Amino acid sequence: MKETRGNRLHIAFLGKMNTGKSSIINALFNREISIVSDIKGTTTDTNQKAMELLPIGPVSIMDTAGLDDSGYLGEKRVKKALEVLDRTDAAVVIFDDTGVKKCDLELFETLEERKIPVLSVINKSDFRKPEEKDIKTIEDNSNFTLFASAKCDKDITSKIKHGLINILSEEQLTQKSLIGDIIDEGDTIVLVVPIDKEAPKGRIILPQVQTIRDILDNKAISVVLGVENLKNGIDNLKNPPRLVITDSQAFKEVNEIVDNKVPLTSFSIVYARIKGDLESFTNGAKAIDNLCDNDKILICESCSHHPIEDDIGRVKIPNLIRKYTKKNVEFEHASGHIFPKDIEKYKLIIHCGACMTNRREVLSRIAASNSKNVPITNYGIAIAKCLGILDTALKPFKS
């Protein structure tokens, strides 16, 4: 199965104009991924490309505009370049003989604040190196520093791989299992997958596919069925299943069938702890009880999709919250990598399962919400809260 962007390690290449960011990327993969020229400001927008970088694995490479770009459009390009830090797992900062400028120091400071590991590459070192004081500044602000030449260095691929492996944590290099820590080999896991308007024709949605794969990787048994076959499916098993995982939209019906006889949770809650922070999301759901008329709620979707008639984020969750609170609350929506700066106007943020974005971006949003004292939760937890079954849905993860 091809790895999705949300599960790839996001590596941003940053630096001033014309330091050779695009050239380094092309040399790293031995192919033309980014346009290269001697003209300053060739890269004007973030170029993101999914690649394989062995032995690290699937990565998402982000080539950005120069941080010293100026003028009206230049400032916009720099702002766009820095926005990628919300989803950056590791930063590769490129320098040349011009050394360290103010924008480089500001970048180092931001990367340190965000706890993003830094690999610094001093490019064009075959031509001329920066001054010693600049090299020391670079080394002092980096987790690892190396000298290279995108044009002449035949060993550049192994150099950068070695540098990345040195700065990445074990957690970053090893993809975390979705439910491997709460199931054992041979366990039977029942997955309830409603085939409704949101199910792609001929396919099932990504969280369900990835959960099936995770069960197989942990040598357990997956039983996939619809709500209408759930009771018969469980009754036909020789032993009760270890766990039932349902689509959040079928939570109420599945809970009534299972009736506390088998641990129950949802795909969205499984993702809440892998892509975000389960405790933060659970605490955020408490804000639902304190909502008042005219309060604003932000629904945050990590992918841009065409809303359907009965869309979960635009119809089902708003209706459920209004029914639960009996308040006339207002809903606004953000999708993709857009996350509003003025989030203090919201009384609650409800994030999707985040199957299409990486953990770093979700954690950045949680941190931004916490800094402005805005509660944040996710789809599955909010739905379980409104249905009165949140304790049941969280029980499999209590340990």
Side-chain angles (χ1 to χ4, degrees), residues 74-90:
E75 289 176 3
K76 285 184 172 292
R77 290 168 189 153
V78 172
K79 181 182 177 184
K80 198 76 173 176
L82 292 175
E83 283 177 357
V84 305
L85 297 182
D86 285 340
R87 57 187 188 276
T88 297
D89 293 301

Side-chain angles (χ1 to χ4, degrees), residues 4-13 48 58-62 84 86-91 116 168 172 337 356-361:
T4 63
R5 179 171 289 180
N7 286 341
R8 290 176 179 270
L9 201 65
H10 284 50
I11 303 173
F13 284 71
Q48 188 162 352
V59 296
S60 188
I61 297 295
M62 298 180 288
V84 305
D86 285 340
R87 57 187 188 276
T88 297
D89 293 301
I116 297 173
L168 293 168
Q172 289 175 312
H337 297 304
M356 293 302 292
T357 192
N358 67 337
R359 187 167 191 257
R360 168 70 73 168
E361 187 163 18

